Amino acid sequence: MRKSGILMHITSLPGPYGLGTMGKAAYDFVDFLAAAGQSLWQILPLNPTGYGDSPYQSCSAFAGNEYLIDLPTLQAEGLLEPGEPEGFSWGQNPGRADFGLLYQSRRKVLALACARFQPTEDYLAFCRENAHWLGDYALYRTLKDKSGGLPWYEWEEPLKRREPEALWQVRQSLREEMDFYKFIQYQFYRQWNALRQYAKEKGIEILGDVPIYVPLDSCEVWCNPELFQLDESLTPTAVAGCPPDAFSDDGQLWGNPLYRWERHKEDGYSWWIRRLSAAGRLYDGVRLDHFRGFESYWAVPYGDETAQNGKWEKGPGLDFISTIQKALPEISFVAEDLGLLTPEVLQLREDSGLPGMKVLQFAFDSREPSEYLPYRHVKNAVCYTGTHDNMTTAQWLREASEETVAYARAYMCLTEEEGLAWGVIRTAMGSVCDVCVVPLQDYLNLGGEARMNFPGTMTNANWTWRMAPGSCTPALAEKIYNLTALYGRLHETKEKISEAEGVENHEL
């Protein structure tokens, strides 16, 4: 079935408290998607953000991001007093999230809500159902607080090595502090489940993202050191990265610890199955980040300052992909198959049957024919104008080489009258790919100021873009709907939502 969707992370929604949340603006955006005839909402990882405020560097593969908890919902439930959130600083620029302020303010306002919370049977059931990760996560966050933010590998040896007596003692003495983090997760999942159910009722599926790696300073590595390439002192022996290429003489040094894939295989990839099962609780479909790393990965000696001295190591391959597909048949997976694609990687994707990605911004290098050109697309794929790691389409058309832009304009018949970015969107919609996803920035014809991420950089611009209130208008929804209908991507049972039910009175 042909369908389409919009890429828009929740943090980029408008709202009064520093960044987008799972509150009214999120529900309004679901209504906008439905009115626009879309079937998919693609988002970035929902786990707590980490180094560089990145959702791809989270301290937990299971926990939800506390920044996304909607404060007005807590007020409506009596956990916050009227006006209390306004007593904290959330930043001066509504177009940018200030993660530094959020780090300070969110914790304080959530502590007020937690102090008024009385555990219910629903809360206790949540704790029981999530016991396989929740207690360790709450303990990890609490111990980081008590250590002044030190990573787990710098804690005292008994805690660093998770000696049972040491863990028992801190669990007894820090129970109240741990309960705070359990409360946060309970509120996150309650709000997310309600939003996801609303999206389901509107015919909207949610496509999420699972990063291939986790950071060294994460609950996952602290709790499962045997699953990672660590030595006896719990120091990595090798870390993740990408080899040197035309864009970087040094390659990319990511620094994440690498997996001991043989250990994962021995127990049937149980950690991965738990991790992806948790993702299935959040999303209807999962994009597997850095898919090529499952075929082979670039291993860099720990301590190197660049990725130049790395080497390729074999990944788990089809055995891993087949195992998770068999264990989790209810989850639809997408392979993020961008980057250096060897014949072996392409074969793994074909053997797995997973749809790959076709990004139009990569199609028009005039030096050689590209696999991303629309005439080379296949049905079992997702066509994008660009992703969260790309320039916006309007920026790309301004800043790409003259040869690239000339080729793109000729191939896609781009005109100023139609709008250059809209011509690229039209091409994506018309692709033979079963699925088309367009970043909201492209529908809004925004430039470089709205780019979500600059890979390999550490800037204040990364992950911080927020949509201006009033951007998602009924007129825009109608324009997207008509284009979606023209190219046969409307859901079979979807009917255009009336203005009364749609976005007419919304503030998106």
Side-chain angles (χ1 to χ4, degrees):
M1 179 191 303
R2 287 171 64 81
K3 55 187 175 182
S4 61
I6 295 179
L7 169 59
M8 170 71 168
H9 195 40
I10 295 176
T11 59
S12 295
L13 292 168
Y17 301 118
L19 84 174
T21 70
M22 299 179 288
K24 182 179 184 300
Y27 286 80
D28 289 351
F29 189 68
V30 170
D31 288 340
F32 174 80
L33 289 167
Q38 303 305 288
S39 304
L40 286 174
W41 180 5
Q42 182 172 340
I43 58 177
L44 306 186
L46 292 178
N47 308 109
T49 53
Y51 181 71
D53 304 317
S54 171
Y56 292 87
Q57 293 288 338
S58 179
C59 66
S60 173
F62 298 90
N65 185 352
E66 59 223 53
Y67 295 164
L68 301 180
I69 295 174
D70 184 57
L71 301 184
T73 299
L74 298 183
Q75 285 180 304
E77 294 172 352
L79 297 178
L80 291 175
E81 297 291 341
E84 271 188 330
E86 285 71 24
F88 298 88
S89 178
W90 304 107
Q92 300 300 314
N93 183 358
R96 290 287 172 187
D98 187 328
F99 285 96
L101 280 177
L102 286 164
Y103 180 80
Q104 299 295 328
S105 298
R106 274 277 162 168
R107 180 185 177 88
K108 294 176 182 177
V109 74
L110 290 174
L112 292 175
C114 183
R116 299 186 179 106
F117 177 70
Q118 296 296 320
T120 62
E121 180 53 40
D122 187 57
Y123 167 78
L124 297 176
F126 171 81
C127 292
R128 290 192 298 269
E129 293 165 5
N130 294 277
H132 66 280
W133 66 269
L134 184 59
D136 280 326
Y137 172 74
L139 179 59
Y140 168 84
R141 290 291 302 268
T142 298
L143 289 174
K144 278 189 72 71
D145 291 343
K146 292 299 181 181
S147 68
L150 288 177
W152 66 264
Y153 47 84
E154 294 183 15
W155 296 346
E156 296 177 0
E157 281 292 310
L159 294 176
K160 171 183 173 180
R161 296 187 177 276
R162 294 180 56 84
E163 294 180 6
E165 178 64 24
L167 295 185
W168 184 85
Q169 289 182 359
V170 295
R171 283 193 174 107
Q172 299 307 307
S173 61
L174 300 175
R175 183 172 299 174
E176 184 175 336
E177 290 86 344
M178 291 175 61
D179 285 344
F180 170 64
Y181 285 107
K182 293 179 182 180
F183 162 81
I184 287 176
Q185 290 307 304
Y186 173 65
Q187 295 298 336
F188 170 88
Y189 274 98
R190 283 184 70 235
Q191 292 192 8
W192 174 253
N193 290 339
L195 176 60
R196 185 179 174 188
Q197 178 61 32
Y198 185 80
K200 182 178 180 180
E201 292 169 358
K202 294 287 185 176
I204 305 299
E205 296 179 343
I206 296 175
L207 177 61
D209 217 342
V210 171
I212 185 172
Y213 295 121
V214 296
L216 176 60
D217 184 20
S218 65
C219 186
E220 310 313 321
V221 182
W222 179 54
C223 292
N224 307 279
E226 72 282 358
L227 298 180
F228 298 87
Q229 296 183 26
L230 309 179
D231 62 21
E232 292 182 356
S233 68
L234 300 182
T235 300
T237 56
V239 295
C242 278
D245 56 23
F247 301 100
S248 173
D249 293 336
D250 293 332
Q252 295 183 36
L253 183 61
W254 300 338
N256 304 80
L258 297 168
Y259 297 107
R260 293 187 187 273
W261 282 114
E262 69 282 0
R263 294 294 297 272
H264 287 268
K265 183 175 182 177
E266 287 172 2
D267 73 349
Y269 305 103
S270 62
W271 179 83
W272 270 98
I273 291 172
R274 290 195 303 274
R275 182 187 188 191
L276 293 174
S277 178
R281 291 181 57 192
L282 296 172
Y283 319 121
D284 300 292
V286 169
R287 193 188 81 141
L288 293 172
D289 180 57
H290 196 57
F291 180 80
R292 73 105 50 246
F294 296 116
E295 191 283 319
S296 57
Y297 56 90
W298 191 247
V300 182
Y302 182 71
D304 279 16
E305 295 183 358
T306 73
Q308 288 181 326
N309 296 324
K311 62 179 181 178
W312 289 109
E313 300 282 359
K314 291 299 294 182
L318 188 60
D319 181 65
F320 167 73
I321 301 297
S322 298
T323 299
I324 64 172
Q325 287 177 311
K326 183 177 180 180
L328 303 167
E330 72 280 5
I331 302 177
S332 300
F333 293 103
V334 174
E336 189 271 285
D337 57 346
L338 308 178
L340 177 63
L341 301 184
T342 63
E344 293 81 5
V345 177
L346 295 175
Q347 190 63 53
L348 175 61
R349 188 194 65 200
E350 293 304 310
D351 291 343
S352 71
L354 298 184
M357 296 173 58
K358 304 297 182 183
V359 180
L360 292 184
Q361 285 190 28
F362 298 154
F364 300 102
D365 187 331
S366 59
R367 293 171 294 182
E368 59 182 274
S370 168
E371 291 298 321
Y372 297 105
L373 282 166
Y375 78 84
R376 294 189 168 192
H377 289 185
V378 296
K379 284 175 60 63
N380 189 33
V382 185
C383 182
Y384 292 82
T385 53
T387 75
H388 64 276
D389 284 333
N390 292 112
M391 299 181 190
T392 68
T393 294
Q395 178 189 17
W396 173 67
L397 289 165
R398 286 197 296 266
E399 298 184 13
S401 69
E402 290 185 13
E403 295 83 0
T404 295
V405 174
Y407 186 9
R409 292 183 71 140
Y411 188 104
M412 295 185 281
C413 301
L414 305 184
T415 66
E416 301 291 344
E417 181 180 5
E418 178 187 24
L420 301 184
W422 275 93
V424 179
I425 294 170
R426 166 179 46 76
T427 304
M429 281 284 193
S431 166
V432 71
C433 294
D434 286 333
V435 181
C436 169
V437 175
V438 177
L440 184 70
Q441 294 96 314
D442 290 350
Y443 278 123
L444 298 177
N445 197 33
L446 298 176
E449 75 283 355
R451 183 171 179 172
M452 192 63 171
N453 182 46
F454 299 74
T457 69
M458 289 288 293
T459 75
N460 292 332
N462 286 348
W463 317 112
T464 62
W465 175 75
R466 299 184 67 199
M467 176 181 70
S471 297
C472 291
T473 63
L476 179 60
E478 183 175 11
K479 187 174 182 180
I480 297 171
Y481 181 95
N482 291 336
L483 190 64
T484 305
L486 181 64
Y487 288 103
R489 295 190 180 276
L490 292 180
H491 192 285
E492 287 182 348
T493 61
K494 187 181 295 300
E495 297 180 358
K496 189 175 181 182
I497 294 178
S498 68
E499 289 184 348
E501 296 174 327
V503 295
E504 183 177 18
N505 297 318
H506 295 161
E507 298 179 355
L508 280 172

